[in-house]
Amino acid sequence: MERPADFRSDTVTRPSAAMRRAMAEAEVGDDVLDGDPTVAKLESVGARWLGVEGTLFVPSGTMANQIAIGVHTRHGDEVILEADAHVLRFEAGAMGALHGVQTVTLKGRRGALDPDEVRRTVRPNFVHCPRTALLCLEQTHMGSGGRVVPLDAFAAAARAGREAGIAVHLDGARLANAVAKSGVPAPVWTKEVDSVSLCLSKGLGAPVGSLVGGSRAFLERARTLRKRFGGWMRQSGILGAAGLMALEQNVERLGDDHQLAQDLARALSEVPGLEVDPADVETNLVLVRVRHRRHSAASLSAALAERGVRVMALGPDHLRFVTHMDVDRSHVERAAAACLELLRS
Ligand code: TLP
Protein backbone atom coordinates (compact mmCIF):
# COMPACT_ATOMS: atom_id res chain seq x y z
CA MET A 1 0.00 0.00 0.00
CA GLU A 2 1.04 3.58 -0.66
CA ARG A 3 2.53 5.45 2.30
CA PRO A 4 -0.32 7.20 4.16
CA ALA A 5 -0.81 10.92 3.69
CA ASP A 6 0.29 11.76 7.22
CA PHE A 7 -1.16 15.11 8.31
CA ARG A 8 -1.06 14.33 12.06
CA SER A 9 1.87 16.62 12.76
CA ASP A 10 4.97 18.21 11.28
CA THR A 11 6.86 16.01 13.76
CA VAL A 12 6.42 13.01 11.43
CA THR A 13 8.97 14.13 8.82
CA ARG A 14 11.85 11.74 8.21
CA PRO A 15 15.41 12.94 7.69
CA SER A 16 16.36 13.28 4.01
CA ALA A 17 19.23 11.32 2.49
CA ALA A 18 21.45 14.42 2.72
CA MET A 19 20.52 14.87 6.38
CA ARG A 20 21.29 11.24 7.16
CA ARG A 21 24.68 11.69 5.46
CA ALA A 22 25.43 14.79 7.52
CA MET A 23 24.49 12.85 10.66
CA ALA A 24 26.72 9.91 9.72
CA GLU A 25 29.66 12.20 9.04
CA ALA A 26 29.23 14.51 12.05
CA GLU A 27 32.28 15.24 14.15
CA VAL A 28 31.38 14.25 17.71
CA GLY A 29 32.66 14.29 21.29
CA ASP A 30 31.27 13.66 24.76
CA ASP A 31 29.12 16.75 25.18
CA VAL A 32 28.97 16.45 28.99
CA LEU A 33 32.69 15.83 29.53
CA ASP A 34 34.48 17.91 26.91
CA GLY A 35 31.81 19.30 24.62
CA ASP A 36 30.64 18.00 21.26
CA PRO A 37 31.91 20.20 18.40
CA THR A 38 28.82 19.77 16.22
CA VAL A 39 26.45 20.55 19.10
CA ALA A 40 28.62 23.56 20.00
CA LYS A 41 28.23 24.80 16.43
CA LEU A 42 24.46 24.19 16.46
CA GLU A 43 24.13 26.03 19.78
CA SER A 44 26.00 29.04 18.45
CA VAL A 45 24.27 29.11 15.04
CA GLY A 46 20.97 28.75 16.95
CA ALA A 47 21.88 31.62 19.28
CA ARG A 48 22.65 33.86 16.30
CA TRP A 49 19.46 32.89 14.51
CA LEU A 50 17.39 33.48 17.63
CA GLY A 51 19.24 36.66 18.66
CA VAL A 52 20.06 35.45 22.19
CA GLU A 53 23.35 35.16 24.10
CA GLY A 54 23.34 31.39 23.91
CA THR A 55 21.28 28.23 23.47
CA LEU A 56 21.34 24.67 24.76
CA PHE A 57 20.51 21.63 22.64
CA VAL A 58 17.92 19.38 24.32
CA PRO A 59 15.94 16.31 23.23
CA SER A 60 12.47 17.86 22.92
CA GLY A 61 10.37 20.99 22.88
CA THR A 62 8.76 19.89 26.12
CA MET A 63 12.13 19.71 27.84
CA ALA A 64 13.15 23.09 26.40
CA ASN A 65 9.99 24.72 27.79
CA GLN A 66 10.20 22.95 31.14
CA ILE A 67 13.84 23.93 31.62
CA ALA A 68 12.89 27.57 31.00
CA ILE A 69 9.94 27.38 33.40
CA GLY A 70 12.23 25.80 36.00
CA VAL A 71 14.78 28.60 35.64
CA HIS A 72 12.19 31.35 36.04
CA THR A 73 10.10 29.93 38.91
CA ARG A 74 10.24 28.53 42.44
CA HIS A 75 7.75 26.16 44.08
CA GLY A 76 4.54 27.99 44.98
CA ASP A 77 4.92 30.61 42.22
CA GLU A 78 2.26 31.42 39.69
CA VAL A 79 2.56 31.37 35.89
CA ILE A 80 0.29 33.33 33.52
CA LEU A 81 -0.53 31.76 30.19
CA GLU A 82 -3.05 31.64 27.38
CA ALA A 83 -5.79 29.07 28.07
CA ASP A 84 -4.82 26.88 25.09
CA ALA A 85 -1.06 27.04 25.67
CA HIS A 86 0.84 23.88 24.75
CA VAL A 87 2.75 23.97 28.05
CA LEU A 88 -0.60 23.75 29.82
CA ARG A 89 -2.52 21.32 27.59
CA PHE A 90 0.03 18.97 26.13
CA GLU A 91 3.04 18.65 28.46
CA ALA A 92 1.48 16.07 30.78
CA GLY A 93 1.11 18.44 33.73
CA ALA A 94 4.87 19.06 33.86
CA MET A 95 4.59 22.56 35.30
CA GLY A 96 2.87 21.34 38.44
CA ALA A 97 4.68 18.02 38.65
CA LEU A 98 8.21 19.33 38.14
CA HIS A 99 8.13 22.89 39.40
CA GLY A 100 5.25 23.03 41.90
CA VAL A 101 3.79 26.13 40.28
CA GLN A 102 0.16 27.08 39.82
CA THR A 103 -1.29 28.70 36.74
CA VAL A 104 -3.64 31.50 35.78
CA THR A 105 -5.06 31.26 32.28
CA LEU A 106 -6.23 34.16 30.13
CA LYS A 107 -8.35 33.72 27.04
CA GLY A 108 -6.46 35.05 24.05
CA ARG A 109 -7.87 36.55 20.88
CA ARG A 110 -6.39 34.57 18.00
CA GLY A 111 -3.57 33.66 20.36
CA ALA A 112 -2.91 37.24 21.49
CA LEU A 113 -3.22 38.23 25.15
CA ASP A 114 -4.67 41.53 26.27
CA PRO A 115 -1.77 43.45 27.90
CA ASP A 116 -4.12 45.14 30.40
CA GLU A 117 -5.34 41.76 31.50
CA VAL A 118 -1.74 40.56 31.89
CA ARG A 119 -1.02 43.64 34.04
CA ARG A 120 -4.12 43.07 36.17
CA THR A 121 -3.28 39.38 36.66
CA VAL A 122 0.17 39.93 38.16
CA ARG A 123 -0.37 39.52 41.93
CA PRO A 124 0.50 42.26 44.38
CA ASN A 125 3.37 41.69 46.75
CA PHE A 126 1.11 40.62 49.61
CA VAL A 127 1.62 37.88 52.17
CA HIS A 128 -1.55 36.02 51.12
CA CYS A 129 -0.70 35.85 47.43
CA PRO A 130 1.56 33.59 45.41
CA ARG A 131 4.42 35.31 43.62
CA THR A 132 3.64 35.78 39.94
CA ALA A 133 6.93 34.76 38.38
CA LEU A 134 6.38 34.14 34.69
CA LEU A 135 4.33 34.88 31.61
CA CYS A 136 4.43 32.18 28.90
CA LEU A 137 3.73 33.15 25.31
CA GLU A 138 3.53 30.88 22.25
CA GLN A 139 4.41 31.69 18.61
CA THR A 140 2.99 30.41 16.35
CA HIS A 141 -0.01 29.75 18.57
CA MET A 142 -1.08 26.15 18.15
CA GLY A 143 -4.46 26.33 19.90
CA SER A 144 -5.72 28.97 17.49
CA GLY A 145 -4.60 26.94 14.47
CA GLY A 146 -1.01 28.10 14.03
CA ARG A 147 -1.71 31.80 13.95
CA VAL A 148 1.09 34.33 14.01
CA VAL A 149 0.35 36.75 16.84
CA PRO A 150 1.13 40.15 15.25
CA LEU A 151 4.35 41.77 16.48
CA ASP A 152 2.67 44.77 18.13
CA ALA A 153 0.25 42.55 20.09
CA PHE A 154 3.03 40.11 20.98
CA ALA A 155 5.32 42.90 22.19
CA ALA A 156 2.55 44.63 24.14
CA ALA A 157 1.75 41.46 26.12
CA ALA A 158 5.43 40.70 26.74
CA ARG A 159 6.15 44.27 27.85
CA ALA A 160 3.15 44.24 30.18
CA GLY A 161 4.72 41.23 31.89
CA ARG A 162 8.23 42.59 32.03
CA GLU A 163 7.14 46.03 33.23
CA ALA A 164 5.30 44.28 36.06
CA GLY A 165 8.60 42.65 37.01
CA ILE A 166 7.97 39.07 35.84
CA ALA A 167 9.97 36.97 33.38
CA VAL A 168 8.60 36.14 29.93
CA HIS A 169 9.21 32.83 28.17
CA LEU A 170 8.34 32.19 24.54
CA ASP A 171 7.35 28.69 23.50
CA GLY A 172 8.74 29.11 20.00
CA ALA A 173 8.32 25.49 18.95
CA ARG A 174 7.13 26.87 15.58
CA LEU A 175 8.78 30.29 15.73
CA ALA A 176 10.43 29.51 12.38
CA ASN A 177 6.95 29.31 10.83
CA ALA A 178 6.14 32.73 12.27
CA VAL A 179 9.41 34.10 10.87
CA ALA A 180 8.72 32.59 7.43
CA LYS A 181 5.16 33.90 7.40
CA SER A 182 5.72 37.40 8.81
CA GLY A 183 9.18 38.15 7.45
CA VAL A 184 10.00 39.39 10.97
CA PRO A 185 13.36 37.85 11.98
CA ALA A 186 13.55 35.78 15.17
CA PRO A 187 15.65 38.36 17.13
CA VAL A 188 12.87 40.94 16.78
CA TRP A 189 10.49 38.56 18.55
CA THR A 190 12.99 37.34 21.13
CA LYS A 191 14.14 40.78 22.24
CA GLU A 192 10.75 41.04 23.95
CA VAL A 193 11.31 37.90 26.10
CA ASP A 194 13.75 36.41 28.61
CA SER A 195 13.94 32.92 27.16
CA VAL A 196 12.82 31.05 24.07
CA SER A 197 12.46 27.47 22.86
CA LEU A 198 12.69 26.39 19.23
CA CYS A 199 11.90 22.93 17.83
CA LEU A 200 14.20 21.59 15.13
CA SER A 201 12.10 18.45 14.71
CA LYS A 202 8.84 20.00 13.50
CA GLY A 203 8.59 21.83 10.16
CA LEU A 204 12.37 22.22 10.04
CA GLY A 205 12.67 18.48 9.50
CA ALA A 206 15.30 17.24 11.99
CA PRO A 207 14.47 13.86 13.52
CA VAL A 208 15.03 14.98 17.13
CA GLY A 209 15.88 18.06 19.12
CA SER A 210 15.10 21.55 20.31
CA LEU A 211 17.03 24.59 21.48
CA VAL A 212 16.37 26.64 24.57
CA GLY A 213 17.98 30.05 24.65
CA GLY A 214 18.42 33.21 26.67
CA SER A 215 21.01 35.31 28.49
CA ARG A 216 24.25 33.97 29.97
CA ALA A 217 22.71 34.01 33.46
CA PHE A 218 19.68 32.10 32.18
CA LEU A 219 21.91 29.49 30.52
CA GLU A 220 23.94 28.90 33.65
CA ARG A 221 20.83 27.76 35.51
CA ALA A 222 19.37 26.06 32.44
CA ARG A 223 22.49 23.88 32.12
CA THR A 224 21.93 22.51 35.63
CA LEU A 225 18.29 21.72 34.84
CA ARG A 226 19.24 20.05 31.56
CA LYS A 227 21.53 17.78 33.55
CA ARG A 228 18.93 17.23 36.26
CA PHE A 229 16.26 16.23 33.71
CA GLY A 230 18.66 13.81 32.06
CA GLY A 231 18.68 15.84 28.86
CA TRP A 232 22.41 16.45 28.53
CA MET A 233 23.45 13.90 25.93
CA ARG A 234 26.85 12.48 24.95
CA GLN A 235 27.86 12.11 21.26
CA SER A 236 24.83 14.20 20.40
CA GLY A 237 26.55 15.76 17.38
CA ILE A 238 24.90 12.93 15.41
CA LEU A 239 21.60 14.67 16.16
CA GLY A 240 23.08 18.16 16.21
CA ALA A 241 24.22 17.78 12.57
CA ALA A 242 20.59 17.22 11.57
CA GLY A 243 19.50 20.22 13.64
CA LEU A 244 22.14 22.42 11.99
CA MET A 245 21.00 21.42 8.54
CA ALA A 246 17.37 21.99 9.54
CA LEU A 247 18.07 25.51 10.75
CA GLU A 248 20.41 26.50 7.94
CA GLN A 249 18.45 25.06 5.02
CA ASN A 250 14.82 24.55 5.88
CA VAL A 251 13.42 27.83 7.18
CA GLU A 252 12.64 29.44 3.85
CA ARG A 253 10.87 26.40 2.47
CA LEU A 254 8.28 26.64 5.28
CA GLY A 255 6.42 29.02 2.94
CA ASP A 256 5.66 25.95 0.76
CA ASP A 257 4.02 24.23 3.75
CA HIS A 258 1.95 27.36 4.38
CA GLN A 259 0.81 27.44 0.76
CA LEU A 260 -0.12 23.75 0.89
CA ALA A 261 -2.11 24.36 4.08
CA GLN A 262 -4.01 27.10 2.24
CA ASP A 263 -4.78 24.71 -0.62
CA LEU A 264 -5.88 22.04 1.83
CA ALA A 265 -8.12 24.46 3.74
CA ARG A 266 -9.71 25.61 0.49
CA ALA A 267 -10.40 22.02 -0.60
CA LEU A 268 -11.78 21.01 2.82
CA SER A 269 -13.98 24.13 3.04
CA GLU A 270 -15.94 22.71 0.10
CA VAL A 271 -16.69 19.42 1.86
CA PRO A 272 -20.17 19.35 3.42
CA GLY A 273 -19.92 18.61 7.15
CA LEU A 274 -16.54 20.31 7.57
CA GLU A 275 -16.07 23.90 8.66
CA VAL A 276 -12.86 25.78 7.99
CA ASP A 277 -12.22 29.28 6.74
CA PRO A 278 -9.04 29.40 4.62
CA ALA A 279 -8.59 33.01 5.75
CA ASP A 280 -7.96 31.69 9.29
CA VAL A 281 -5.06 29.52 8.11
CA GLU A 282 -1.84 31.49 8.42
CA THR A 283 0.88 28.85 8.61
CA ASN A 284 0.97 25.04 8.40
CA LEU A 285 -1.83 24.05 10.79
CA VAL A 286 -5.41 23.60 9.58
CA LEU A 287 -8.05 23.24 12.30
CA VAL A 288 -11.28 21.85 10.92
CA ARG A 289 -14.60 21.61 12.73
CA VAL A 290 -16.60 18.45 12.07
CA ARG A 291 -20.35 19.00 11.96
CA HIS A 292 -21.91 15.84 10.70
CA ARG A 293 -24.78 13.72 11.94
CA ARG A 294 -22.82 10.44 11.64
CA HIS A 295 -19.27 11.51 12.38
CA SER A 296 -17.40 12.92 15.36
CA ALA A 297 -13.79 14.07 14.94
CA ALA A 298 -12.61 10.71 16.33
CA SER A 299 -14.77 8.55 14.05
CA LEU A 300 -13.88 10.59 10.99
CA SER A 301 -10.20 10.38 11.85
CA ALA A 302 -10.51 6.55 12.15
CA ALA A 303 -12.36 6.31 8.83
CA LEU A 304 -9.78 8.52 7.12
CA ALA A 305 -6.96 6.35 8.46
CA GLU A 306 -8.55 3.34 6.71
CA ARG A 307 -8.32 5.35 3.49
CA GLY A 308 -4.64 6.17 3.96
CA VAL A 309 -5.12 9.68 5.39
CA ARG A 310 -3.90 10.31 8.93
CA VAL A 311 -5.05 13.31 10.95
CA MET A 312 -5.28 14.18 14.65
CA ALA A 313 -8.60 14.56 16.46
CA LEU A 314 -8.30 17.47 18.87
CA GLY A 315 -11.34 17.42 21.13
CA PRO A 316 -14.76 15.98 20.18
CA ASP A 317 -15.36 18.07 17.08
CA HIS A 318 -12.03 19.31 15.75
CA LEU A 319 -9.53 17.69 13.42
CA ARG A 320 -6.02 19.05 12.95
CA PHE A 321 -4.24 18.70 9.63
CA VAL A 322 -0.58 19.76 9.55
CA THR A 323 1.41 20.27 6.36
CA HIS A 324 5.15 19.59 6.22
CA MET A 325 7.90 18.54 3.83
CA ASP A 326 6.70 14.93 3.57
CA VAL A 327 3.25 15.79 2.17
CA ASP A 328 2.44 17.31 -1.20
CA ARG A 329 -0.41 18.26 -3.48
CA SER A 330 -1.32 14.61 -4.21
CA HIS A 331 -1.78 14.01 -0.47
CA VAL A 332 -3.99 17.09 -0.22
CA GLU A 333 -6.12 15.78 -3.06
CA ARG A 334 -6.31 12.37 -1.43
CA ALA A 335 -7.39 13.90 1.90
CA ALA A 336 -10.07 16.09 0.32
CA ALA A 337 -11.43 13.21 -1.79
CA ALA A 338 -11.57 10.87 1.23
CA CYS A 339 -13.41 13.49 3.32
CA LEU A 340 -15.87 14.09 0.51
CA GLU A 341 -16.53 10.37 0.08
CA LEU A 342 -17.12 9.89 3.83
CA LEU A 343 -19.22 12.97 4.49
CA ARG A 344 -21.18 13.50 1.30
CA SER A 345 -24.15 11.33 2.19
N1 TLP B 1 3.34 19.61 19.81
C1 TLP B 1 2.95 18.31 19.28
C2 TLP B 1 1.97 17.64 20.25
O1 TLP B 1 2.45 17.71 21.54
C3 TLP B 1 0.59 18.20 20.24
C4 TLP B 1 2.34 18.50 17.91
O2 TLP B 1 2.21 17.48 17.21
O3 TLP B 1 2.03 19.64 17.54
N2 TLP B 1 5.23 23.66 22.00
C5 TLP B 1 4.35 23.55 20.98
C6 TLP B 1 3.61 24.76 20.55
C7 TLP B 1 4.16 22.32 20.35
O4 TLP B 1 3.28 22.23 19.36
C8 TLP B 1 4.89 21.19 20.80
C9 TLP B 1 4.66 19.83 20.18
C10 TLP B 1 5.80 21.34 21.84
C11 TLP B 1 5.94 22.60 22.43
C12 TLP B 1 6.56 20.19 22.43
O5 TLP B 1 7.48 19.64 21.57
P1 TLP B 1 7.97 18.10 21.74
O6 TLP B 1 6.90 17.25 21.12
O7 TLP B 1 9.27 18.07 21.00
O8 TLP B 1 8.15 17.84 23.18
Side-chain angles (χ1 to χ4, degrees):
M1 192 183 158
E2 248 179 310
R3 237 178 97 188
D6 198 343
F7 290 101
R8 284 172 303 162
S9 182
D10 44 10
T11 58
V12 303
T13 55
R14 293 161 193 223
S16 64
M19 190 176 271
R20 283 176 188 261
R21 238 181 347 264
M23 295 170 75
E25 289 165 8
E27 202 187 324
V28 296
D30 186 320
D31 198 38
V32 184
L33 289 182
D34 327 300
D36 175 294
T38 306
V39 167
K41 184 165 175 208
L42 168 63
E43 290 176 342
S44 84
V45 168
R48 222 173 311 125
W49 191 84
L50 284 166
V52 292
E53 288 183 355
T55 66
L56 302 182
F57 183 48
V58 295
S60 68
T62 300
M63 192 184 288
N65 285 332
Q66 293 305 323
I67 285 176
I69 293 166
V71 168
H72 296 303
T73 63
R74 302 189 298 250
H75 273 229
D77 281 349
E78 195 160 70
V79 178
I80 303 174
L81 20 76
E82 206 282 326
D84 279 329
H86 189 280
V87 288
L88 186 72
R89 284 179 70 190
F90 296 117
E91 298 190 9
M95 270 191 292
L98 300 176
H99 312 300
V101 294
Q102 64 184 40
T103 56
V104 184
T105 58
L106 305 180
K107 193 71 205 140
R109 233 185 121 256
R110 301 171 163 221
L113 293 179
D114 174 351
D116 287 330
E117 218 182 327
V118 171
R119 245 174 248 117
R120 281 197 303 272
T121 306
V122 176
R123 307 271 183 190
N125 184 2
F126 186 38
V127 67
H128 299 289
C129 295
R131 180 182 80 125
T132 309
L134 178 66
L135 168 68
C136 263
L137 301 175
E138 190 176 304
Q139 182 78 305
T140 62
H141 185 258
M142 194 183 88
S144 64
R147 285 184 189 272
V148 181
V149 178
L151 182 59
D152 52 351
F154 178 87
R159 286 175 197 174
R162 286 172 127 187
E163 281 159 19
I166 66 174
V168 182
H169 171 66
L170 169 58
D171 175 353
R174 294 191 181 84
L175 182 61
N177 294 82
V179 168
K181 173 68 185 180
S182 64
V184 176
V188 178
W189 301 103
T190 63
K191 83 174 171 38
E192 305 295 342
V193 303
D194 299 289
S195 58
V196 58
S197 61
L198 172 74
C199 285
L200 303 164
S201 63
K202 298 203 162 58
L204 296 181
V208 175
S210 285
L211 295 173
V212 57
S215 67
R216 275 186 203 95
F218 169 86
L219 292 170
E220 207 178 302
R221 299 199 52 210
R223 224 170 257 119
T224 305
L225 290 183
R226 176 173 66 172
K227 174 68 193 163
R228 207 171 270 170
F229 291 163
W232 201 341
M233 300 171 284
R234 301 292 179 166
Q235 285 74 30
S236 37
I238 300 270
L239 299 172
L244 254 178
M245 195 169 203
L247 194 53
E248 289 180 333
Q249 299 186 15
N250 290 342
V251 175
E252 268 176 35
R253 64 150 307 285
L254 291 172
D256 300 345
D257 298 347
H258 302 168
Q259 183 57 52
L260 200 63
Q262 268 300 317
D263 298 346
L264 177 66
R266 225 169 301 120
L268 295 178
S269 71
E270 286 168 14
V271 177
L274 295 184
E275 281 179 9
V276 54
D277 182 350
D280 289 339
V281 175
E282 296 182 4
T283 58
N284 66 328
L285 309 187
V286 182
L287 273 190
V288 179
R289 181 150 186 218
V290 181
R291 292 193 106 169
H292 196 265
R293 65 198 153 74
R294 269 186 299 106
H295 277 295
S296 65
S299 72
L300 183 57
S301 146
L304 284 169
E306 283 170 13
R307 285 158 178 79
V309 176
R310 305 193 74 181
V311 297
M312 205 181 262
L314 281 186
D317 57 359
H318 278 87
L319 288 181
R320 186 185 77 163
F321 292 74
V322 185
T323 55
H324 50 78
M325 62 176 76
D326 285 0
V327 285
D328 60 24
R329 179 156 283 287
S330 72
H331 296 116
V332 164
E333 284 162 11
R334 202 197 301 173
C339 288
L340 198 58
E341 184 201 327
L342 287 163
L343 297 174
R344 195 167 24 202
S345 55

